Each structure stands twice: as structure tokens, then as C-alpha cells.
Amino acid sequence: MKKIMTKNDFQLQFPAPEDSDLYFHSGGSSGEPKVSVFTYEDYHRQMELAAEGLFAAGLEPKNDLAMNLFFAGALYGGFISFFTILEKMQCRHFPMGAHTDHHFVAETIVKNKVNVLLGMPSYLLQLFQTEETLLKKAACVKKIFYGGEHFSLSQIDFFKKQFNVELIKSASYGSVDAGPLGFQCQHCTGSVHHLHHRLHDLEIVEVDVDKAVKDNEIGRLLVTSKVRKGQKIERYEIGDLGRWIKEPCPCGRPQPRFELMGRTGDVFRIGATFLNYQSLLKSFSNELNYVGAFQIHLYPAAGLKKEKIVFNLDAKLMTPPQVDQVEKFLLNVKDFNFVVKKDKLLEYKIELIDISQFEKSKAGGKIRNIVDHRIETKK
């Protein structure tokens, strides 16, 4: 069995010029930009299968009028990829991108009766919150296909109840390096996806050792690409956690199903305990019915002071009196209460800020789940 391929292993490959047609930003830390390289043949093969996946999720190219609201520029692949996907589906669409003029975007949607939006949850939430009156009155958007991030149940309810959106599905699950990995059918809910088995093999191994998980245990996702020139992908750890769905899908498709369970970096240690961002977000959203952005900042101990954790919430969706509810919820989380109240090793603060102040990734504009200032201090 070959060893697990890391991000660094992937970046140490130097594809030949004849295998280097298209370059996308591949993330990475500060310093020289990292890129993923594709041949046009591989790129178009991937986009064709991603188009099949989007059709399975419910986009109807003959009837729908779509708007591509993914981010573009700086070698980011989101907008470009979905432009190609929609082109291959022969779907009429507006290649808008994640334009910062929300009123212009909303007016274009309403004026042209656009019924399908594709984009990232954080951008779509901001668009609908900013242009609530216009979009609610028109109620023309009936389908939303998202990527890059996940919607919570409360956020899905927000779109369906407030704006009469009928269908909200993943547009595609994938990574910049590996391309499209999974798709949703009409029966896939939440973060459950079918595997793009014609493109990739998928393994799920235990979190701490290179050993296949048992049954539906949660583990690390390892991807091996079947068709890829230049940069090989063999047992590549993409940084996501997931579990197998053993039951056959009612849609009848033979492709195996898996459920995404967050990023490996979503579990963090602070104040001598471990907390899970996704677990906090899910409980927070379901119990408090909060639909906005949620970001955690971790700060190091300074002198005699304790480590500190700051929870950022959208000020437009959370009033100061509701902070008491948030605090009550947090202190009901067993591990959090223990480290704050009993061990007294951790300080915490709840801050309400404008959504524009949330820290985002430089490449794709995603709101960062966790910002660890302890790591930045060590640099």
C-alpha cells in the first residue's frame, strides 16, 4: 500500500509543459503561490462529469435560467469551472460572479426572472440579507446550488420560508487539486454525496492511523484519481472528514455514497480541551435558529493571562440581548463549561460584527471557520 500523499507531496510534482495547460490557485501558506495544473483534456473530462452531477441534483438546462455567482480572479477556479459546467449543460446563464454591488445583482435577477443561483453560502446569505425586500417581493429564485461551504439547516429554512426557494443542493463537492469528487441526487440531503467513481477512487481511513475505518465510522478522506496527467493524485489526503453511507440510494445509482463531516482542522485544542467547530455550529444553528456567519478566533496566553477564544457573529442577525442566549448555550457545552468554569483556563468573548469584517481566505473569498492567532504568533 502506498503512503498517504500530503499537500506538500502533491506540490513537489513538476508536470511537463505538455501536461500543463491550465493553472488554478491551490491554497497553501504564505510565500510562493501554489498551483494545481491540468491538461485541457482532463479539465473538460472533469467538467463533463460535474455537469452530470449538477443535472442529478436538479438543474434543468431546458427550463432553468441560472446566474453564476462564484468568486473569480487570482487563479481561483470556482467561477471558471461553473461557467464551463453550465456551458456543457447548454444552460442559459448570467456569468455575474460574486459581484460586490448587491443591488445590481438583485436587480438583474429580478428583471430577468433568474430562477437558479449558483454560489457560495456566505455570499448568497449576504446578498439575500442586503436585498431582502427586492428578492422577497419578486420570489423568482426557486433553486440554489452551492459550493465551497455548507448551509446549516437554519440557513436552508431561511431561504425556503422567507424567499420561497424550493430546492437547495450542493452544486458539486470537490477540491482544487483533485477536481470534482462528489455530487448530490434528489435523495441526497445535507452533506451526503455520491462519489464521481469514473474520476476517482475514495478511501476513508482512521483519523490517527492509515487503516480503513469500520462500517460508518468517521475518518480522513483519501482520493486517488483514475484519469489525470501531470500531477498524479494517489491516496491524497484532501483535509476532509467523512463516513460511508452503506444503505443503497433510493435513486438507484450504483455510485457509493459518503457524508462529509467537516475539515480535519475543525477540531482544535484550547485551554486543555478539544472543541469541534462543526459540532458547535450545528448545535448553535439548530438550537438558536441562527442563520448567519460564525467564526472562531483563538488567542495565545500572554503573561499571566489565559488563552482566549472569541466567537464572531453577524451583527445584523443578532441583537445584544441575544448574546445572553449565546452565552447560555456555550456554557451548556460540557467541555467548554469545564475548561471555563472549573479549570478556569480559558477566557471567552462574543462579538457582534458586520459580515464584511469576517476574515476570509485570500484565494476563494470563503469565510474562515477558525482563525488561530496562536500559530501566527509563533511565526
Side-chain angles (χ1 to χ4, degrees):
M1 182 182 293
K2 293 187 177 182
K3 77 178 189 71
I4 293 175
M5 176 183 281
T6 66
K7 183 80 170 180
N8 188 56
D9 293 330
F10 176 79
Q11 291 293 342
L12 286 175
Q13 299 180 83
F14 299 98
E18 60 267 24
D19 294 328
S20 307
D21 295 327
L22 196 56
Y23 299 77
F24 289 121
H25 191 278
S26 179
S29 57
S30 59
E32 184 181 352
K34 307 297 183 182
V35 295
S36 289
V37 182
F38 297 85
T39 64
Y40 280 125
E41 181 183 359
D42 285 345
Y43 171 75
H44 283 286
R45 172 66 171 166
Q46 291 188 352
M47 295 305 104
E48 285 168 4
L49 291 177
E52 290 182 16
L54 188 53
F55 180 78
L59 191 144
E60 303 172 79
K62 289 185 178 180
N63 302 319
D64 289 332
L65 177 59
M67 181 176 286
N68 181 355
L69 293 171
F70 279 100
F71 287 88
L75 301 183
Y76 184 59
F79 177 84
I80 295 294
S81 296
F82 278 97
F83 181 94
T84 304
I85 290 167
L86 291 169
E87 180 184 21
K88 289 186 179 296
M89 296 179 77
Q90 292 293 288
C91 180
R92 298 176 303 139
H93 78 279
F94 288 79
M96 177 68 75
H99 203 290
T100 56
D101 187 341
H102 294 138
H103 188 66
F104 168 64
V105 174
E107 279 192 327
T108 305
I109 291 170
V110 172
K111 181 180 179 181
N112 295 281
K113 296 182 173 58
V114 173
N115 73 309
V116 176
L117 301 182
L118 301 98
M120 291 174 58
S122 56
Y123 178 83
L124 294 169
L125 282 165
Q126 192 172 1
L127 171 65
F128 276 75
Q129 289 162 7
T130 304
E131 299 297 325
E132 180 178 0
T133 302
L134 183 59
L135 293 172
K136 185 179 289 186
K137 182 179 179 181
C140 57
V141 177
K142 297 302 178 185
K143 301 177 184 180
I144 289 177
F145 297 100
Y146 61 89
E149 304 164 350
H150 297 289
F151 276 121
S152 68
L153 292 176
S154 295
Q155 290 169 338
I156 290 173
D157 285 342
F158 168 73
F159 282 106
K160 289 187 173 181
K161 292 178 180 179
Q162 298 296 323
F163 299 93
N164 294 316
V165 177
E166 297 171 358
L167 180 69
I168 299 178
K169 291 282 185 181
S170 167
S172 179
Y173 162 64
S175 75
V176 177
D177 297 334
L181 300 170
F183 66 94
Q184 289 196 324
C185 68
Q186 292 294 307
H187 297 277
C188 289
T189 59
S191 58
V192 174
H193 291 75
H194 285 280
L195 175 67
H196 273 302
H197 73 299
R198 283 181 285 172
L199 289 174
H200 312 285
D201 287 324
L202 177 67
E203 298 173 68
I204 303 181
V205 300
E206 294 182 4
V207 174
D208 298 323
V209 294
D210 185 1
K211 181 181 177 181
V213 296
K214 297 178 181 179
D215 299 321
N216 64 342
E217 291 179 350
I218 297 173
R220 295 172 289 159
L221 303 189
L222 305 183
V223 175
T224 297
S225 292
K226 296 178 179 179
V227 184
R228 180 69 178 267
K229 296 179 181 178
Q231 289 173 304
K232 292 183 179 179
I233 291 181
E234 297 178 313
R235 307 194 75 225
Y236 182 37
E237 184 174 357
I238 58 177
D240 286 331
L241 298 171
R243 66 182 185 94
W244 290 114
I245 304 294
K246 297 294 185 179
E247 298 79 15
C249 184
C251 77
R253 290 179 174 85
Q255 295 95 325
R257 289 188 300 162
F258 58 96
E259 181 178 12
L260 297 170
M261 303 300 290
R263 298 284 292 173
T264 53
D266 283 344
V267 177
F268 59 93
R269 182 184 181 95
I270 190 163
T273 193
F274 287 94
L275 297 172
N276 186 313
Y277 172 89
Q278 292 296 336
S279 179
L280 283 172
L281 174 61
K282 184 176 180 180
S283 299
F284 188 75
S285 175
N286 293 342
E287 293 184 30
L288 298 179
N289 199 34
Y290 174 70
V291 301
F294 176 53
Q295 187 172 75
I296 293 175
H297 289 257
L298 309 176
Y299 293 92
L304 297 177
K305 292 185 177 181
K306 310 168 188 176
E307 283 188 294
K308 184 177 181 181
I309 184 169
V310 176
F311 301 93
N312 283 347
L313 305 169
D314 189 343
K316 291 183 179 178
L317 302 177
M318 182 71 63
T319 62
Q322 289 177 298
V323 171
D324 293 338
Q325 293 178 275
V326 177
E327 185 173 16
K328 183 178 179 181
F329 160 77
L330 289 171
L331 293 176
N332 279 332
V333 176
K334 184 179 178 181
D335 291 338
F336 186 77
N337 183 289
F338 193 88
V339 75
V340 170
K341 292 294 185 180
K342 188 171 182 179
D343 285 348
K344 297 183 178 180
L345 295 173
L346 182 65
E347 294 181 357
Y348 71 94
K349 186 178 181 181
I350 301 161
E351 292 184 345
L352 307 182
I353 64 175
D354 188 83
I355 193 169
S356 63
Q357 295 178 286
F358 283 81
E359 289 203 28
K360 301 178 179 66
S361 63
K362 293 180 179 179
K366 295 182 187 176
I367 290 178
R368 296 171 62 186
N369 294 346
I370 302 166
V371 184
D372 194 340
H373 302 276
R374 301 171 302 178
I375 296 174
E376 295 169 4
T377 302
K378 294 177 183 177
K379 289 181 180 179

